[in-house]
Amino acid sequence: MSKNLQENICESKLFERLYKKHAKNLHDFLYYKFGEHLNPQDKVQEAFIKLWQNCGKIAPSKAKSYLFTTANNLMLNAVAHQKVVLKYHKQPQKHATNESPEFVLQEKEYYEKLQNAIANLTEAQRVAFLLNRVEGKRFKEIAELLNISTKAVEKRIYGALKKLRQEINEL
């Protein structure tokens, strides 16, 4: 009896013995009760982590009960979460917009024109333009990346813009 008072779950050897003794049984319990789809092995690991975090508060004689209760609660929380997810997926999603079909079609056509125009730029212009407009890099950053002068970057981007305007307006 005095030995139980001195034993502490925080001692790594005792904790390791508890793990070896109860991990498989705990996994099997969760697997049989809830199935594989909620990943019972993860819940076993989480239960042991919670035991380790609270090792000073739990007597070794209560460790098994604590583990099974904690793991069961973790699985119940996962089941509740799955129910919420399923309920959300069952709700009809709103896909309507205030845009007319004509506007949507024009937007799609414009996007295609833009993509074609960008593809027709020279590689140097395209790289500088996309670094600036898509990634938001400044001229100086682009110059450092490409190992060219800031003026060269400006020329490439302004040339790209001019070419894009011409191609999009022609189509």
Side-chain angles (χ1 to χ4, degrees):
M1 179 116 168
S2 62
K3 186 172 183 181
N4 273 352
L5 293 175
Q6 291 177 339
E7 283 185 350
N8 188 352
I9 297 174
C10 295
E11 293 175 18
S12 61
K13 290 187 182 201
L14 179 59
F15 187 81
E16 188 176 335
R17 275 190 288 160
L18 282 169
Y19 182 82
K20 287 180 180 177
K21 184 175 181 182
H22 299 298
K24 176 144 178 36
N25 292 335
L26 183 56
H27 174 270
D28 293 345
F29 168 74
L30 295 175
Y31 179 79
Y32 297 145
K33 187 170 181 181
F34 297 101
E36 184 64 35
H37 71 282
L38 293 175
N39 210 346
Q41 185 61 38
D42 283 353
K43 302 306 185 260
V44 169
Q45 296 299 321
E46 287 180 50
F48 274 98
I49 289 170
K50 287 186 183 278
L51 176 64
W52 182 256
Q53 290 170 341
N54 297 310
C55 63
K57 302 174 188 172
I58 299 164
S61 60
K62 304 284 184 189
K64 181 179 178 183
S65 171
Y66 179 84
L67 284 169
F68 276 75
T69 303
T70 302
N72 190 51
N73 288 341
L74 288 168
M75 287 299 263
L76 291 173
N77 289 343
V79 168
H81 177 70
Q82 286 294 332
K83 286 181 182 178
V84 170
V85 169
L86 288 174
K87 184 179 177 184
Y88 176 76
H89 282 295
K90 286 182 182 179
Q91 291 178 349
Q93 302 297 318
K94 184 178 177 184
H95 292 291
T97 64
N98 294 335
E99 300 165 345
S100 69
E102 184 181 326
F103 176 78
V104 172
L105 182 63
Q106 287 174 347
E107 185 179 40
K108 192 174 185 181
E109 288 173 354
Y110 184 81
Y111 180 76
E112 289 173 10
K113 286 180 188 178
L114 179 63
Q115 292 302 315
N116 290 333
I118 289 174
N120 290 336
L121 294 174
T122 65
E123 183 180 348
Q125 287 177 328
R126 184 173 48 252
V127 169
F129 176 77
L130 292 175
L131 282 172
N132 178 252
R133 297 301 165 112
V134 176
E135 294 187 20
K137 298 205 180 291
R138 297 199 167 127
F139 289 1
K140 187 175 181 181
E141 293 173 309
I142 298 169
E144 290 172 3
L145 280 172
L146 300 177
N147 202 19
I148 57 176
S149 69
T150 308
K151 285 290 184 189
V153 172
E154 289 176 16
K155 183 175 180 181
R156 289 178 183 184
I157 292 175
Y158 292 135
L161 287 170
K162 185 176 179 182
K163 202 171 184 182
L164 288 174
R165 280 190 203 106
Q166 289 172 346
E167 284 196 37
I168 290 174
N169 289 335
E170 275 181 13
L171 301 175

